[in-house]
Amino acid sequence: MTRNRKKSRLLAGGLAAALLLAAAPLHAGAFADVEADPNAAAIRSLEQAGLLSGGDGKFRPAEALTNAEGIALLVKAFGLNLDRIRFIQAPQASQYYPGMSDSAWYSESFLIGAALGVGLPKDVKPGAPMSRETFAALLLQAMKAADGGWSGAKGEAPEDDSAVGSAYRDSVLELIGAGLPLLDPSGNFQPKKAVSRSDAAAWVEGGRKLVKGIKPESESPSPVSPLAGVELTTAKLADGVVKVTVSAQAPNPGYGIRIASIRFDGGQAIVSVAVVRPKPGQMYPQVITEVSADTYVDEAYTAVLDEAAASSGEPLKGGILPGKNAR
């Protein structure tokens, strides 16, 4: 891989060919087929924010959301970008998703999502329908990746909880606890069913309201106190990509951790992290909780923790450790 010292920044947006994302905001009330939809208010709100578009003046709310549309919507709706990650050479979506065209309208969104932990399996089919449980998990990841982060308590399990995949269950419960309209009138989530464009809009609008107004963290790396036992692990993926995971122990489930920046020095990728503070006004049990955040670097570099994180102290003592990502 050819290296250069020019910092490359990739911004979300500008996906003119996207079905869900408009190159320019539509006029309010442009959709002619949403008035009778139960999520009409949410659709109109996202439409007025310039986050939704359709074809022939229609949104087609009952149609299934595709993987490409889902990733593009989340990246745009939560303002996700790679500003905080500095690259020696501009990365490409095909590095994370072999076989994906880097010129496809959705490639930039897939790249941004993958780098920020809002990703799909490497063999994903962009045009295939996205399941409700998959979109719920990606939505929560996008909320946590947004400035200021998000953390909330888990709600009651849906009536069809046994049908929810184990990899998605915590995300679904956390979104239910946050009050998002994930359940049908019978209390079922229907996890394997394709998420409709209407429901996707309602969930995203709800998620945006939850993270709106959270004070962003400082742009500069900040100490991770009161987190303790911060450590970095890596796992080699395909095509020369290494997944970097930074984990720590928090005094309660309200805290989180995020990747603040990555800087490259010689053969090292120096990872800086910052604490995500509990949401104001929320009560959390004083239970030691493991939290983590992921990012990705080229295998040519050795990922190391920034000194501020490495000196954050010994693991916390006492309490109960629910397990990895238990927040």
Side-chain angles (χ1 to χ4, degrees):
M1 178 180 292
T2 301
R3 300 181 185 175
N4 57 71
R5 294 294 177 180
K6 292 182 179 180
K7 179 167 59 178
S8 174
R9 297 191 174 199
L10 301 178
L11 302 177
L15 303 176
L19 179 60
L20 275 174
L21 304 183
L26 293 178
H27 296 295
F31 296 139
D33 60 345
V34 301
E35 291 305 327
D37 190 89
N39 297 317
I43 295 171
R44 291 293 190 210
S45 178
L46 295 181
E47 175 192 359
Q48 291 170 12
L51 299 174
L52 298 180
S53 68
D56 302 324
K58 296 181 179 180
F59 179 62
R60 296 178 174 83
E63 290 187 4
L65 187 80
T66 67
N67 289 316
E69 293 167 353
I71 290 292
L73 174 59
L74 291 172
V75 167
K76 183 70 172 180
F78 291 94
L80 305 184
N81 57 62
L82 302 183
D83 282 357
R84 289 175 175 158
I85 302 178
R86 289 172 281 186
F87 298 93
I88 297 301
Q89 181 175 347
Q92 295 181 316
S94 57
Q95 292 177 283
Y96 299 93
Y97 300 98
M100 180 174 290
S101 171
D102 291 311
S103 63
W105 66 263
Y106 47 76
S107 64
E108 188 177 23
S109 291
F110 271 89
L111 168 61
I112 293 170
L116 297 179
V118 189
L120 288 165
K122 64 181 182 179
D123 58 351
V124 63
K125 296 180 179 179
M130 183 180 288
S131 71
R132 289 167 60 86
E133 63 182 5
T134 298
F135 189 72
L138 292 176
L139 170 59
L140 186 63
Q141 291 165 7
M143 291 166 63
K144 292 180 182 295
D147 282 348
W150 165 258
S151 183
K154 295 176 183 177
E156 295 185 6
E159 292 295 324
D160 55 352
D161 180 58
S162 61
V164 180
S166 59
Y168 308 104
R169 188 173 186 274
D170 285 350
S171 297
V172 171
L173 294 181
E174 190 165 337
L175 292 180
I176 291 175
L180 267 63
L182 270 63
L183 307 181
D184 64 19
S186 298
N188 292 308
F189 176 57
Q190 304 180 65
K192 310 302 180 186
K193 182 180 178 181
V195 63
S196 69
R197 291 158 61 88
S198 170
D199 284 342
W203 299 0
V204 167
E205 174 67 1
R208 278 165 51 85
K209 289 181 178 179
L210 289 172
V211 301
K212 185 177 181 180
I214 296 178
K215 184 178 180 180
E217 298 286 342
S218 171
E219 290 295 324
S220 59
S222 58
V224 293
S225 177
L227 304 185
V230 182
E231 61 179 3
L232 180 150
T233 58
T234 60
K236 186 175 180 180
L237 305 180
D239 299 309
V241 176
V242 174
K243 179 180 180 180
V244 180
T245 299
V246 180
S247 58
Q249 291 182 13
N252 68 59
Y255 285 92
I257 192 171
R258 67 173 176 82
I259 305 297
S261 68
I262 302 177
R263 68 181 188 275
F264 295 89
D265 185 3
Q268 292 187 326
I270 304 172
V271 181
S272 297
V273 295
V275 65
V276 176
R277 300 286 175 179
K279 185 179 179 182
Q282 294 291 316
M283 298 293 291
Y284 299 96
Q286 296 306 300
V287 177
I288 299 173
T289 305
E290 187 170 343
V291 296
S292 66
D294 300 322
T295 189
Y296 301 82
V297 300
D298 189 279
E299 66 176 353
Y301 298 94
T302 300
V304 297
L305 271 176
D306 180 84
E307 291 183 1
S311 60
S312 62
E314 296 298 321
L316 300 174
K317 304 294 184 180
I320 301 173
L321 186 63
K324 190 173 184 179
N325 296 324
R327 76 177 195 274

